[in-house]
Amino acid sequence: MNVRTTALRRALGRDSGQVSIEFLGMTPTIIITLVLLWQFVLVGYTYTLAGNAADEAVRAGTAATGDRQAACEREGTSDLPEAWRGDAEVSCGSGAPGYVTADVSLKVPVLFPGSIGFPFPGITGHAGAVEEAK
């Protein structure tokens, strides 16, 4: 071997383990990014659930012949997953004569459905429909 090859091998040998150190340095950033993405998925899913629950509640409210609020609550929470159903708040009202509105408020779980860690803003779904003729 000549002197040049030996110097090159010695220079390359000094970088052994560099990739491992860089990966360990990036691991917290990767984990935090994945956790934030998952939380955004939960927020989006909660928006979808709140909107659908409000639609179901107002549909039941427009056809109710007796207690409109009870019908709204029953239908507004019937299709919700158990993790969201416990803290759901459903309210029905009348915006104008012959017009029924429903609001469904849901809490956004923190990282795991069914667990509420710290106070996270809730999400409200709103729907309205014309009352059916009786």
Side-chain angles (χ1 to χ4, degrees):
M1 274 202 228
N2 61 20
V3 176
R4 196 169 172 196
T5 306
T6 306
L8 180 62
R9 285 188 181 194
R10 205 174 309 134
L12 290 175
R14 282 185 281 171
D15 286 341
S16 66
Q18 181 67 28
V19 172
S20 299
I21 297 299
E22 288 176 2
F23 179 73
L24 286 175
M26 287 300 296
T27 300
T29 305
I30 293 168
I31 290 172
I32 289 171
T33 303
L34 291 175
V35 165
L36 288 174
L37 285 174
W38 175 246
Q39 187 61 44
F40 288 140
V41 166
L42 285 176
V43 169
Y45 186 55
T46 304
Y47 267 110
T48 302
L49 287 175
N52 184 56
D55 288 340
E56 294 292 327
V58 79
R59 190 173 299 128
T62 59
T65 55
D67 187 8
R68 177 177 290 161
Q69 182 63 33
C72 278
E73 286 182 23
R74 185 175 52 255
E75 282 301 314
T77 58
S78 66
D79 290 337
L80 290 175
E82 189 63 37
W84 281 267
R85 189 178 303 152
D87 293 325
E89 295 177 13
V90 180
S91 63
C92 284
S94 297
Y99 190 72
V100 179
T101 61
D103 293 308
V104 177
S105 296
L106 300 176
K107 301 260 193 235
V108 178
V110 179
L111 295 181
F112 301 105
S115 67
I116 304 292
F118 55 92
F120 207 74
I123 292 176
T124 301
H126 177 77
V130 176
E131 191 171 10
E132 293 182 9
K134 295 177 184 172

